[in-house]
Amino acid sequence: MSADPAVAIRSARRADVFAIVAMLADDHLGAGRERFEDPLPDSYYAAFDALQRSPQIRMVVAEDQDGRVVGCLQLAVLPGLSSQGASRAIIEDVRVARDCRSRGIGEVLVRWAIGQARDQGCRLAELFTHQSRVDAQRFYARLGFQPSHVGMTMRF
Amino acid sequence: MSADPAVAIRSARRADVFAIVAMLADDHLGAGRERFEDPLPDSYYAAFDALQRSPQIRMVVAEDQDGRVVGCLQLAVLPGLSSQGASRAIIEDVRVARDCRSRGIGEVLVRWAIGQARDQGCRLAELFTHQSRVDAQRFYARLGFQPSHVGMTMRF
């Protein structure tokens, strides 16, 4: 893995939604959940607009030197009473374009999120990985995350 | 377990923070993380004020018929792009006062949160339970949650 994958992290723009959904859909779990069509269903843009209005959430992309969006990550920093009133960071929807994996792009994204969490005074960063994503669990463990919790979910 | 534990769910007030922190601290994990003192450290009240300002988070308490706070839960409803732009609900800091357990109060709190998540159009509700909280995992499974994910955490 390259130590410097030469990507820039920047806030996602509405024009990035198509590339982001492409990454979300190109995945063994996402394939059944997303609708990657041209044009995309309006629900994706409505969600993007809601993200933009949320002061506590940032959706970022990794852009390579050619200006292509090759990764994404959503970070929420939420207040809470536990741990002496510490905010916690929740990292979601981390994806790297299939042809750009193993170059350290995911690591740049997640280290960016950890840095943001620290800068904003969080005492805790959390993320869910599906039980089947064994490679992802190894990746996060290497970055310092502990598999301390069971992530329980209910789909409606 | 009583089918009707006779508690009311209502938004937490600043005057409830002491009772909430008492519950957070009275726990094998919370005991080492909280500072349950009278008066409480200001950090708890600062966090409560931040929660009040957040349109996406609700901290609620369960109040018994004598007006005592006997449970709490924090619910965040967050927009996101995945699952066709569906919002997701994150349930945190579920606690029931030690002398009031096994009466169904936790179930009333969590069912309230599930109802809120559905009403607000979420497609997914998520929560973390520490690996050591085996009883909690059984409780959530009974309510319909799946142990589908690994909850990975980093403490700063």
Side-chain angles (χ1 to χ4, degrees), chain B residues 4-51:
Chain B
D4 174 13
V7 290
I9 307 296
R10 62 163 174 79
S11 293
R13 303 170 190 142
R14 215 163 191 273
D16 301 322
V17 173
F18 194 81
I20 294 168
V21 176
M23 292 187 285
L24 294 173
D26 184 19
D27 175 272
H28 75 284
L29 294 169
R33 289 183 189 150
E34 307 302 339
R35 280 179 60 198
F36 180 55
E37 304 162 1
D38 190 359
L40 288 174
D42 287 342
S43 59
Y44 288 110
Y45 291 102
F48 184 79
D49 294 342
L51 286 169

Side-chain angles (χ1 to χ4, degrees), chain B residues 62-151:
Chain B
E63 187 180 82
D64 73 8
Q65 289 174 307
D66 298 324
R68 179 183 164 207
V69 168
V70 293
C72 62
L73 180 148
Q74 182 172 321
L75 174 69
V77 173
L78 304 179
L81 289 183
S82 59
S83 294
Q84 300 180 39
S87 292
R88 68 281 314 253
I90 298 177
I91 296 169
E92 297 181 289
D93 292 352
V94 182
R95 296 290 188 283
V96 172
R98 185 177 293 275
D99 62 318
C100 299
R101 291 185 190 157
S102 305
R103 294 184 199 172
I105 295 168
E107 181 168 341
V108 170
L109 281 161
V110 174
R111 288 199 190 282
W112 173 87
I114 294 168
Q116 287 286 313
R118 286 182 185 274
D119 289 351
Q120 294 185 48
C122 293
R123 299 271 296 273
L124 178 67
E126 306 175 305
L127 56 88
F128 291 86
T129 61
H130 195 270
Q131 295 280 4
S132 66
R133 296 194 198 274
V134 179
D135 287 351
Q137 288 150 33
R138 203 174 299 127
F139 164 73
Y140 289 118
R142 188 167 60 75
L143 297 186
F145 286 86
Q146 304 288 327
S148 54
H149 287 66
V150 179

